[in-house]
Amino acid sequence: ILIPLAIYFANLPDRVLKEYESKLITHNITGLKNSIYLERELEKNSNSFEKSLIILIYINNCKKLQSVYGYSALNKILKEAARLISSYKQIDNNFEDIYSLESNIFAIKYKYTSENNLVKFTQLLFADLEKMEILIDKNSSIYLDLTLGISNPKNIKGKQKLHEAQMALDYAIEKRIDILVYDPNIKSEDINSLNLKILKSIKTAIDKDNVVLHYQPIYNNRTQKIEKFETLMRIKNSKNEILYPNSFMDIAKDSKKYNKLTYAMIDKSFRYFQDKDYEFSINLSFLDIVEKGFTKYLEEKIKDYDVAKKLVIEIVESESISNYKEIKRFITTMKELGCKIAIDDFGSGYANFQHIISLSQYIDYIKFDGSLIKNIHKDRKSQLLVGVIKFLCDSLSIRTIAEFVEDEETLKFVDSMGINYSQGYHISKPVSNIENIPQ
């Protein structure tokens, strides 16, 4: 009896060490080899990568999927994505291995035989994965939005391959390119240079009053008239070109210029609508609301321009609802002034219905995210989700607005669901002067 026990305890440290080592190099969700393992292989066994390259697969909508469906559903999505990507080992013999680097990045070790084979494989992989429907539950499914970055086939140095693939991926994301092979002419300085140019445009826009506002109509489905407008921000660069928020907003936030843009939007939109008989809305994020002195500034501007009764403050739901106390404090202050409150992009982020119910006495509008409305006339799952939210809003006396209404069919469908208002290109594109919109 004692001899087996002695052997067992003598080997225990080795077994524990091996178990720990196994966990250290394994992704905890997908069970695939992780970034630690891949980096070790590139360091110690770089010769095995001499004829191979690295393909990085980045899930662009991973954060949004987590916000909408939660961590447990995201884990299910990542496992299914790992299974789908791994299945291509059976399709292409050049597919050598797969790794999970982060929660939204997979890597493939791929044997390079020819440019034609690489193009054929990556295009097939990209197309198949993006059109693959992943089931979340009986009533919900999602599609992946991907970007691929690939190391240079001519580089034989193993340690550089992962770095090259990452640089290609960063550049592809920045330039909105689906698939990109690393080019030595593409350097990280290129991206930094682009960001610096945009940052300069932001600073110039603030200093030279080049913050430009456009206004998109909001259509009453019952009266069939345009009754409101949403204020949308743009900026002009030194070439007098219009830049849209998707190209400058993240950089503005990182550089602490964001709040100055918000202040310019507030002043310009209030001045524009002070003598017009329309409700108008401005978009505010949690970054605006928590900035020291912002609420006082907004109160003063509302009083100066006397726009309280026509002002709607849209709060981006995915950024704000989880910060319940700060939001409630801000909302109550605005409501006391006579402003209205809208929750923007509802359904795109973490929709905490309990918070909506708690704040219902202050909320005037819920705006459905465009992703729910875009194909609602033929997407049963979107119909069910919008129907549930609409029922909640009706019960709480909150009016509803459908964004991304792009055609007559969608307009008729959201109207048939009892949604109060519609907004989108079918009604009108954003304009710089609302007098140019036919009523």
Side-chain angles (χ1 to χ4, degrees):
I1 295 173
L2 292 175
I3 291 174
L5 284 174
I7 295 172
Y8 173 82
F9 284 109
N11 293 329
L12 187 58
D14 290 337
R15 283 201 299 275
V16 171
L17 195 59
K18 287 179 181 178
E19 191 175 316
Y20 173 76
E21 176 70 13
S22 177
K23 288 182 178 180
L24 187 66
I25 60 174
T26 304
H27 194 274
N28 64 325
I29 296 171
T30 65
L32 298 173
K33 299 161 191 171
N34 63 15
S35 58
I36 295 174
Y37 181 91
L38 177 57
E39 288 169 1
R40 284 184 183 178
E41 287 295 296
L42 290 168
E43 182 72 32
K44 295 179 179 178
N45 302 312
S46 59
N47 291 339
S48 68
F49 284 82
E50 187 173 329
K51 296 181 179 179
S52 303
L53 46 76
I54 298 292
I55 302 171
L56 293 181
I57 304 170
Y58 179 82
I59 305 176
N60 299 306
N61 57 339
C62 194
K63 187 176 180 180
K64 178 174 273 192
L65 292 173
Q66 176 188 308
S67 297
V68 175
Y69 298 104
Y71 284 102
S72 60
L74 178 64
N75 292 348
K76 183 177 180 180
I77 292 167
L78 292 174
K79 288 177 183 178
E80 182 62 11
R83 187 192 67 80
L84 292 171
I85 298 170
S86 298
S87 69
Y88 281 80
K89 279 187 177 182
Q90 313 302 321
I91 298 173
D92 193 324
N93 292 330
N94 293 321
F95 189 132
E96 297 180 286
D97 213 341
I98 178 174
Y99 315 85
S100 281
L101 303 192
E102 297 175 22
S103 59
N104 60 341
I105 301 179
F106 292 91
I108 293 174
K109 180 184 178 184
Y110 186 83
K111 185 178 180 181
Y112 181 74
T113 52
S114 70
E115 182 179 344
N116 183 57
N117 286 341
L118 176 62
V119 170
K120 184 178 177 181
F121 171 73
T122 52
Q123 289 184 345
L124 176 67
L125 177 70
F126 180 86
D128 284 355
L129 289 176
E130 281 220 330
K131 70 182 180 183
M132 197 78 70
E133 185 178 22
I134 297 178
L135 295 176
I136 303 297
D137 52 43
K138 291 181 180 179
N139 299 315
S140 303
S141 62
I142 61 96
Y143 294 89
L144 299 177
D145 178 26
L146 306 173
T147 301
L148 272 61
I150 306 166
S151 63
N152 194 318
K154 296 179 181 179
N155 182 9
I156 63 171
K157 295 180 180 179
K159 288 189 291 185
Q160 293 182 7
K161 293 180 187 287
L162 182 58
H163 180 60
E164 286 184 354
Q166 185 62 61
M167 290 180 71
L169 180 63
D170 290 344
Y171 195 81
I173 293 169
E174 181 75 34
K175 295 290 188 179
R176 298 178 181 272
I177 300 169
D178 292 335
I179 304 171
L180 184 67
V181 177
Y182 175 77
D183 184 330
N185 295 320
I186 298 175
K187 300 178 181 179
S188 59
E189 287 80 3
D190 295 334
I191 296 175
N192 292 332
S193 176
L194 178 64
N195 288 349
L196 288 173
K197 287 179 181 178
I198 294 173
L199 182 59
K200 185 178 180 181
S201 296
I202 294 169
K203 188 177 185 303
T204 302
I206 293 168
D207 294 341
K208 296 188 176 182
D209 196 27
N210 281 340
V211 176
V212 178
L213 300 186
H214 286 181
Y215 312 99
Q216 187 167 32
I218 299 174
Y219 177 84
N220 188 318
N221 294 330
R222 302 289 88 76
T223 65
Q224 299 183 348
K225 293 180 179 180
I226 292 169
E227 294 183 356
K228 313 173 191 302
F229 289 87
E230 178 182 359
T231 302
L232 301 170
M233 186 196 302
R234 288 86 170 88
I235 62 173
K236 281 184 182 179
N237 63 14
S238 57
K239 297 179 181 178
N240 217 33
E241 299 169 331
I242 296 291
L243 301 183
Y244 291 84
N246 61 341
S247 67
F248 68 80
M249 197 57 77
D250 287 342
I251 296 170
K253 289 177 181 178
D254 290 341
S255 64
K256 299 181 181 179
K257 300 291 184 185
Y258 174 73
N259 296 112
K260 291 184 179 180
L261 291 175
T262 301
Y263 286 177
M265 175 192 66
I266 289 170
D267 192 67
K268 284 175 174 280
S269 63
F270 286 12
R271 188 184 309 127
Y272 185 78
F273 279 101
Q274 65 178 333
D275 59 354
K276 294 178 174 59
D277 296 324
Y278 289 102
E279 268 190 13
F280 71 101
S281 62
I282 60 171
N283 290 283
L284 298 180
S285 73
F286 191 69
L287 286 177
D288 296 310
I289 293 168
V290 298
E291 192 210 7
K292 186 177 180 181
F294 175 78
T295 302
K296 184 179 180 181
Y297 171 85
L298 184 57
E299 284 185 76
E300 290 175 354
K301 289 296 179 181
I302 290 170
K303 292 173 182 176
D304 288 346
Y305 288 102
D306 191 25
V307 294
K309 299 300 180 184
K310 60 179 77 174
L311 176 61
V312 180
I313 296 171
E314 294 189 20
I315 300 171
V316 180
E317 177 266 327
S318 59
E319 289 184 325
S320 310
I321 294 301
S322 59
N323 300 281
Y324 177 69
K325 291 182 180 179
E326 289 287 346
I327 291 300
K328 186 174 182 179
R329 177 194 58 78
F330 175 78
I331 286 176
T332 52
T333 301
M334 293 300 108
K335 291 294 288 185
E336 286 170 2
L337 292 173
C339 304
K340 294 184 176 68
I341 301 295
I343 302 299
D344 195 16
D345 293 338
F346 196 87
S348 68
Y350 175 57
N352 190 321
F353 284 83
Q354 182 58 49
H355 285 168
I356 293 296
I357 293 169
S358 300
L359 293 170
S360 62
Q361 61 181 310
Y362 307 108
I363 297 172
D364 299 279
Y365 303 104
I366 289 287
K367 297 187 76 173
F368 292 107
D369 184 64
S371 63
L372 295 175
I373 300 299
K374 187 176 181 180
N375 296 307
I376 193 169
H377 55 283
K378 53 187 177 183
D379 187 338
R380 180 60 181 159
K381 297 180 182 69
S382 291
Q383 293 168 17
L384 288 170
L385 181 54
V386 170
V388 169
I389 298 172
K390 174 69 171 56
F391 176 79
L392 173 66
C393 291
D394 288 345
S395 302
L396 299 172
S397 299
I398 298 173
R399 284 164 286 179
T400 49
I401 303 172
E403 296 184 291
F404 218 102
V405 176
E406 306 295 278
D407 51 51
E408 183 68 19
E409 193 173 8
T410 305
L411 176 62
K412 288 180 178 178
F413 197 92
V414 298
D415 184 23
S416 71
M417 292 188 73
I419 294 173
N420 304 104
Y421 299 92
S422 293
Q423 179 179 353
Y425 277 22
H426 182 65
I427 310 301
S428 172
K429 292 182 179 180
V431 295
S432 58
N433 185 355
I434 67 173
E435 307 299 332
N436 296 334
I437 298 174
Q439 296 296 315

